[in-house]
Amino acid sequence: MKKIIPLLLANLSLLAITNSYAQQALYTHDEAGQLQLTTAGASHLAGLPLRCMQKEFPYKTGIAFSDASLVTHPKDYHPAFYGCYDWHSSVHGHWMLVRLLKSFPDLPEAALIRTKLAQNLTADNIKIEQRIYNDKENKGFERIYGWSWLLQLQRELLTWQDPLGTALSHNVQPLARQFSRAYIAFLDKLVYPIRVGEHTNLAFGLSLAWDYALTAKDTALQTSIRQAALRFYEKDKGCPITWEPGGYDFLSPCLEEADLMWRVMPADQYKTWVKEFLPDLFSSPITILATAQVKDRTDGKLVHLDGLNLSRAWCLYGIARHAGQNQAAIQALAQQHLEAALPHVATGDYAGEHWLGSFAVYTLTIEHNNR
């Protein structure tokens, strides 16, 4: 036994070194010390949705069965977005692949990605997807999270200077338009904000929808979002961020709100608002927001907290860029969360792998690089 223990320790040490080199191959640091996705990393992450975007089962449906016509394979009523366990994960898996193709056009998987996107995002498939929302029992299906990721997918397609991107954006536009109108109608009726750490978080959804509205020049949606955000959040102060996280959270109610408001407020007003809303972010040192811990990554709910570390990172990067003070400390906190999450994006367990890659790509290629 005495001989075995040192051998085990040596092997564990070697494994740690090997994993460290693997992470370095997937990500690098720019001149400012910010993490960047490498081509190898993009290829690695692209493999996650490629393995599941046309994998019909396991599948978790969220529809209401108003009659027996929907008692069939999910692919029959979700021919575009039937893979990756559930509808919204399939949608942001498609978004992720488009984003990676745009950022890394020479990906080894480029031809396969293009083929799969073209197979799924046909005009006929999108028409069938729309039928669910014409059913009175399912008008709210995938509200808010899935709606918002679909709009983000369309934003990505609209800004893809490629014939395939042009064709696919044309195909997806009817569903994007349907969600835009549904969002406007919903916000007009919504009396209270939705402050949760999971799919129905309103601030996160509005951020994605706002970015789409700007790109698509959807002024009606943009106006609706601004009015709702100011109505719900403009007077907020002292968000109780020490109450976070909840055990199932993958979004931070406080940080998502702060990440939304720089979009809709004048810059000077935002700087005053965010300091009153999250005063602890402007202390030195920052003593809030320890990285979230996960004890079982095979549990689909508990692994949400890996996603929380990623979403906290993108919020903190956005806040840092617009708060006007304590930028370096807030960015350092963002990077701490990002580095805590990245080793667990691809663990080999489907509970996290079917969606965490999208969160990683969103943070690495959208938030702190392009705003």
Side-chain angles (χ1 to χ4, degrees):
M1 179 63 72
K2 290 181 179 179
K3 293 181 179 180
I4 293 174
I5 290 175
L7 180 61
L8 288 173
L9 292 174
N11 286 339
L12 288 172
S13 177
L14 178 61
L15 179 60
I17 293 171
T18 301
N19 286 341
S20 175
Y21 281 123
Q23 288 300 318
Q24 290 175 20
L26 301 180
Y27 314 100
T28 187
H29 292 82
D30 62 16
E31 294 179 356
Q34 299 295 309
L35 276 170
Q36 301 285 318
L37 189 61
T38 65
T39 301
S43 177
H44 175 71
L45 292 177
L48 302 179
L50 284 173
R51 288 198 292 272
C52 68
M53 65 189 293
Q54 293 175 331
K55 179 180 178 179
E56 193 169 359
F57 298 105
Y59 187 80
K60 179 183 178 182
T61 186
I63 64 167
F65 294 90
S66 53
D67 56 48
S69 65
L70 294 176
V71 183
T72 181
H73 286 247
K75 188 176 179 180
D76 294 338
Y77 51 86
H78 294 316
F81 305 115
Y82 61 89
C84 294
Y85 190 68
D86 49 33
W87 195 89
H88 53 257
S89 297
S90 181
V91 171
H92 61 62
H94 284 71
W95 166 85
M96 171 182 167
L97 291 173
V98 176
R99 181 61 189 173
L100 288 176
L101 267 186
K102 292 169 65 176
S103 301
F104 302 91
D106 296 327
L107 271 180
E109 300 82 3
L112 179 61
I113 292 172
R114 296 173 73 91
T115 297
K116 286 182 175 288
L117 289 172
Q119 288 172 345
N120 284 14
L121 302 181
T122 67
D124 287 342
N125 283 351
I126 295 300
K127 286 179 182 178
I128 295 172
E129 293 278 356
Q130 287 185 270
R131 293 176 186 171
I132 285 289
Y133 298 95
N134 295 328
D135 177 357
K136 67 177 183 178
E137 303 294 340
N138 288 292
K139 288 183 177 180
F141 172 65
E142 286 289 354
R143 186 182 69 198
I144 296 168
Y145 190 72
W147 289 11
S148 304
W149 272 114
L150 188 284
L151 294 178
Q152 189 70 193
L153 169 61
Q154 179 64 347
R155 176 181 184 244
E156 210 63 53
L157 292 170
L158 288 169
T159 55
W160 188 14
Q161 303 304 313
D162 184 279
L164 180 61
T166 301
L168 297 183
S169 66
H170 178 77
N171 294 345
V172 172
Q173 186 57 33
L175 186 54
R177 187 181 304 114
Q178 188 168 357
F179 283 163
S180 172
R181 293 170 179 168
Y183 237 132
I184 293 169
F186 174 65
L187 291 176
D188 187 54
K189 295 182 289 186
L190 187 65
V191 178
Y192 309 104
I194 306 169
R195 307 177 192 270
V196 297
E198 294 188 86
H199 303 84
T200 54
N201 180 278
L202 181 65
F204 172 67
L206 294 184
S207 293
L208 293 189
W210 173 271
D211 293 347
Y212 159 80
L214 284 180
T215 298
K217 297 181 173 56
D218 188 338
T219 55
L221 179 59
Q222 191 177 342
T223 298
S224 179
I225 292 170
R226 179 185 282 111
Q227 290 174 345
L230 295 177
R231 182 170 79 249
F232 291 138
Y233 306 127
E234 185 178 20
K235 296 181 181 179
D236 285 355
K237 296 181 180 180
C239 193
I241 198 162
T242 57
W243 294 6
E244 299 182 19
Y248 291 169
D249 285 359
F250 61 88
L251 299 169
S252 161
C254 289
L255 294 183
E256 292 296 344
E257 181 176 334
D259 194 41
L260 167 67
M261 295 305 282
W262 63 255
R263 290 169 164 87
V264 302
M265 279 182 163
D268 289 343
Q269 183 182 353
Y270 178 75
K271 291 173 184 177
T272 300
W273 178 90
V274 72
K275 190 170 183 180
E276 293 179 344
F277 182 65
L278 288 171
D280 289 337
L281 276 185
F282 302 93
S283 63
S284 182
I286 300 174
T287 58
I288 56 171
L289 295 173
T291 55
Q293 305 298 307
V294 179
K295 290 189 174 181
D296 182 1
R297 291 188 166 83
T298 68
D299 187 306
K301 281 289 193 177
L302 297 181
V303 79
H304 276 185
L305 291 157
D306 280 331
L308 176 67
N309 284 330
L310 292 166
S311 66
R312 278 181 173 180
W314 75 54
C315 290
L316 289 166
Y317 282 124
I319 294 165
R321 289 172 64 89
H322 297 88
Q325 51 190 311
N326 218 26
Q327 181 175 11
I330 298 172
Q331 286 180 336
L333 184 60
Q335 183 143 326
Q336 179 183 343
H337 279 77
L338 181 56
E339 291 180 344
L342 287 177
H344 307 297
V345 168
T347 62
D349 194 278
Y350 197 56
E353 280 196 349
H354 76 274
W355 67 279
L356 282 170
S358 298
F359 272 45
V361 170
Y362 188 77
T363 309
L364 287 163
T365 67
I366 293 292
E367 295 301 304
H368 65 281
N369 290 337
N370 296 329
R371 293 204 292 196

